[in-house]
Amino acid sequence: MTDREDGIRLMKLAVGAGIFFFAVIFHMTPVVELTLFFTSYLLAGGEIVARAAGNIRRGQVFDENFLMSVSTIGAFAIGEYPEGAAVMLFF
């Protein structure tokens, strides 16, 4: 990775973390919270989900990207938005 790519990645992570902590601290309507947590999730873990999808297309299903994607998508599916976003942030 180049320094530019690392910088972009770090910026996405920082913005995602900022949005996450904003959503945790300030309680808003459920739709706004979902939007904030999902935005944080995409910024922190969008590449992981994309890598998992690419690996599935190549026949490599069970790797860490797939498992992280399944667990966090499952968290969103059961309404545990903060947990799904936090797992991606900490991964």
Side-chain angles (χ1 to χ4, degrees), residues 20-37:
F20 174 80
F21 287 115
F22 180 83
V24 168
I25 292 169
F26 300 105
H27 296 284
M28 291 155 272
T29 64
V31 173
V32 173
E33 282 189 351
L34 170 60
T35 303
L36 291 173
F37 285 123

Side-chain angles (χ1 to χ4, degrees), residues 1-69:
M1 290 214 151
T2 65
D3 289 340
R4 180 168 161 57
E5 290 171 336
D6 285 342
I8 291 170
R9 209 175 208 185
L10 185 60
M11 184 62 72
K12 286 168 121 178
L13 184 62
V15 171
I19 292 170
F20 174 80
F21 287 115
F22 180 83
V24 168
I25 292 169
F26 300 105
H27 296 284
M28 291 155 272
T29 64
V31 173
V32 173
E33 282 189 351
L34 170 60
T35 303
L36 291 173
F37 285 123
F38 190 69
T39 301
S40 173
Y41 174 83
L42 288 178
L43 287 169
E47 291 178 28
I48 294 166
V49 175
R51 258 187 259 140
N55 289 343
I56 290 170
R57 277 187 246 120
R58 287 188 292 280
Q60 298 173 335
V61 177
F62 293 108
D63 65 352
E64 67 275 4
N65 298 311
F66 174 77
L67 295 173
M68 290 299 293
S69 297

